Amino acid sequence: MSLDDLKYVKVKTHPTARNQAVSTQPLLAGSIVLSNQAFATVLFENQKGRRCDHCLVLSETLRKCSGCASCCYCDANCQTRHWPSHKKLCKRWNSFASSNEFQALPPHERLDCVLLSYFASPLSANDQLAIFKSLLPGPTHHSPPPTCTPVDGADGLYDRFGNNNFTIHSHLNSFAHGIFPLASRLFNHSCTPNAAARYKLVRGQAVTMEVVALRDIAEGEEICIPYLDPALLQTRQQIFQLTYGFQCTCISCEGLKSVGPIPDVPQDPARLAALEYRLRTFIGVDDLEHCVLRTKPITQSLPSEIRCFLKEDYIEHLSGVFSQSSHDGPYDRALDSGTTLLAMYLLIYPENYPQIGMHALELAKTAWNASMPMNDIVRRQHAMAQVRACLSVSRRILGLYGPEGDGGGPLAEITTLQQLVDQEG
Ligand SMILES: C[S@@+](CC[C@H](N)C(=O)[O-])C[C@H]1O[C@@H](n2cnc3c(N)ncnc32)[C@H](O)[C@@H]1O
């Protein structure tokens, strides 16, 4: 597919980003704006041998390439389809991978190195490569990492890698990198995006990126996706500058700027608990059934005493506490930190952002596990009400985002938990 074949988007000039993608017609939340197959992908090192190197599907019965014993495939079909990318690499792979030159690279450069070799191998290929070469280069020139296959014009390609390379995820967990030239050519960044990418994994096929509208989009409106997690409230501007060469001026970044310096989160536990309660009440997250799930723009009426929560370190801290205690207990701590984290997500993420739905699902699972050993009927009913409320939030958001990644994605998990809840009565 090329820029001329697009149905729902067209390219227009942009005052600072060269071009932008705008909708050609009104789009409803949940619509697929663009479907774009990967031109090349590479698995993270910890996923090698777990997923097929061609279609990236998880499998317990993969077959190793007999040439390098490094790439694994579902079957002969996947191996044949991957061969045009892999053939030059295959013969040289083992000596290259064990070389000091390769071993000395940081992990992301090792990935780039393989991706660059894959990407440039089927050089005869079509308009994808031409589109990639028409992409904007990153702000600074870096020499390409050594590649195990000679790559014509690697310099010119590599200059476009950093700011046009996508992270592929399942259940919102990243597991590979990929090149999707058409999506790169089209979508600019916003920290309050109206669209987001999801990945469709089908055995035997290259991964497809689907860009989904997160809310209704008007005709002529710019369609933006997030390049970075919008929860990186303090560090994101620096990353935009270094990696992409721009300064973000979206409503969230402007809002943060107008709030000014963010005070520290108090150390005193009683004061902190009181402020967290204040945040949760402000968002309405303790009464999720009646909470209006409209996310709150950061500047608008955020009481000054709870601005301290706009520190990305604190979000990271809460997330760590939640993930540890939701696995190992105590569940009270997990539910408390998880509910505050949900309030934070509703504060910083845009409407229907998939991370909100994913976290609500994790919270629902935690409340379910917490309810199991409860003998006290009132406590148990309270926990079950929390499971239902979180499931409903999760279904609403992830239902709109649609199926993603492995095994039906999080939607399949929602259905399973809902069945358990229904059996409970
Ligand atoms: C993936 S490309 C986006 C497509 C690009 N607009 C084009 O004309 O081909 C990424 C580059 O677009 C520009 N860009 C993306 N989002 C931007 C934004 N919000 N503000 C300014 N420039 C942006 C930056 O130069 C960035 O390195």
Side-chain angles (χ1 to χ4, degrees):
M1 190 193 263
S2 75
L3 288 174
D4 300 327
D5 306 322
L6 301 168
K7 188 166 175 204
Y8 301 115
V9 278
K10 65 178 181 191
V11 176
K12 252 181 81 173
T13 53
H14 184 279
T16 53
R18 185 175 69 175
N19 290 150
Q20 58 183 315
V22 296
S23 60
T24 54
Q25 56 184 270
L27 296 169
L28 291 177
S31 318
I32 298 178
V33 177
L34 179 86
S35 207
N36 186 202
Q37 210 165 38
F39 191 54
T41 53
V42 60
L43 287 170
F44 289 178
E45 285 177 13
N46 65 3
Q47 300 292 315
K48 293 284 286 178
R50 297 188 67 220
R51 293 177 182 273
C52 171
D53 276 276
H54 171 61
C55 65
L56 311 191
V57 166
L58 276 175
S59 169
E60 289 179 358
T61 54
L62 295 171
R63 296 160 29 145
K64 278 189 180 167
C65 166
S66 58
C68 63
S70 162
C71 282
C72 295
Y73 301 102
C74 297
D75 50 28
N77 170 50
C78 282
Q79 184 161 18
T80 307
R81 286 170 181 259
H82 200 232
W83 187 240
S85 304
H86 179 58
K87 67 180 172 194
K88 287 193 187 163
L89 207 82
C90 184
K91 288 185 228 110
R92 307 165 197 233
W93 177 249
N94 283 314
S95 58
F96 181 77
S98 56
S99 67
N100 292 339
E101 210 179 9
F102 183 76
Q103 290 297 327
L105 296 173
H108 74 276
E109 285 197 18
R110 287 194 215 169
L111 286 184
D112 277 356
C113 188
V114 180
L115 195 54
L116 192 57
S117 295
Y118 281 165
F119 182 61
S121 274
L123 265 183
S124 53
N126 61 53
D127 54 353
Q128 296 280 45
L129 195 64
I131 290 184
F132 194 79
K133 284 188 168 162
S134 78
L135 301 181
L136 290 173
T140 35
H141 170 75
H142 297 286
S143 296
T147 54
C148 42
T149 62
V151 176
D152 289 339
D155 253 11
L157 290 177
Y158 194 61
D159 280 344
R160 289 163 175 78
F161 250 52
N163 59 336
N164 291 292
N165 202 328
F166 285 88
T167 302
I168 300 172
H169 46 75
S170 167
H171 293 68
L172 306 183
N173 285 322
S174 309
F175 66 88
H177 279 175
I179 301 282
F180 299 84
L182 197 54
S184 276
R185 183 71 180 80
L186 287 168
F187 300 110
N188 289 324
H189 163 86
S190 170
C191 306
T192 47
N194 51 12
R198 71 175 188 219
Y199 295 91
K200 199 164 127 189
L201 304 176
V202 178
R203 187 177 159 133
Q205 294 178 16
V207 179
T208 300
M209 174 203 285
E210 292 177 331
V211 175
V212 185
L214 295 180
R215 57 168 173 77
D216 294 350
I217 296 176
E219 182 178 340
E221 197 179 329
E222 180 176 10
I223 301 177
C224 289
I225 60 173
Y227 291 4
L228 284 183
D229 183 349
L232 294 170
L233 296 168
Q234 276 74 47
T235 48
R236 64 192 189 201
Q237 285 295 0
Q238 203 187 0
I239 305 176
F240 292 137
Q241 203 66 61
L242 288 175
T243 311
Y244 300 95
F246 72 89
Q247 183 135 37
C248 187
T249 53
C250 74
I251 178 174
S252 163
C253 287
E254 292 299 297
L256 267 176
K257 223 194 298 173
S258 72
V259 166
I262 309 293
D264 287 335
V265 176
Q267 300 282 317
D268 173 47
R271 173 85 186 125
L272 180 58
L275 287 185
E276 284 184 338
Y277 179 72
R278 177 90 177 86
L279 169 76
R280 284 155 57 153
T281 316
F282 176 70
I283 302 286
V285 81
D286 283 315
D287 184 15
L288 262 187
E289 265 174 278
H290 302 106
C291 169
V292 182
L293 276 186
R294 208 172 304 117
T295 47
K296 320 256 182 207
I298 281 166
T299 39
Q300 263 181 24
S301 64
L302 182 65
S304 57
E305 71 269 26
I306 54 175
R307 286 190 187 154
C308 59
F309 293 121
L310 295 176
K311 280 252 160 99
E312 70 185 49
D313 296 358
Y314 194 66
I315 303 170
E316 206 180 309
H317 162 77
L318 269 181
S319 168
V321 172
F322 174 68
S323 78
Q324 193 188 10
S325 47
S326 61
H327 284 118
D328 306 332
Y331 286 129
D332 285 355
R333 187 166 155 79
L335 292 174
D336 187 49
S337 56
T339 306
T340 308
L341 190 60
L342 186 60
M344 288 300 306
Y345 283 177
L346 287 166
L347 179 68
I348 58 180
Y349 285 135
E351 195 176 346
N352 296 325
Y353 201 66
Q355 263 78 359
I356 305 173
M358 199 67 211
H359 179 61
L361 174 59
E362 290 307 315
L363 204 50
K365 289 196 265 183
T366 307
W368 170 265
N369 289 338
S371 76
M372 286 293 99
M374 283 176 188
N375 293 321
D376 180 312
I377 190 132
V378 177
R379 281 190 68 213
R380 194 174 164 101
Q381 278 173 350
H382 179 74
M384 288 306 293
Q386 194 171 10
V387 178
R388 284 193 200 91
C390 289
L391 261 183
S392 145
V393 170
S394 173
R395 191 181 315 101
R396 198 181 118 180
I397 295 177
L398 294 176
L400 194 135
Y401 182 55
E404 150 332 299
D406 303 313
L411 285 179
E413 290 184 42
I414 292 176
T415 306
T416 307
L417 184 52
Q418 187 65 58
Q419 281 163 354
L420 292 172
V421 170
D422 292 346
Q423 280 162 19
E424 189 77 3

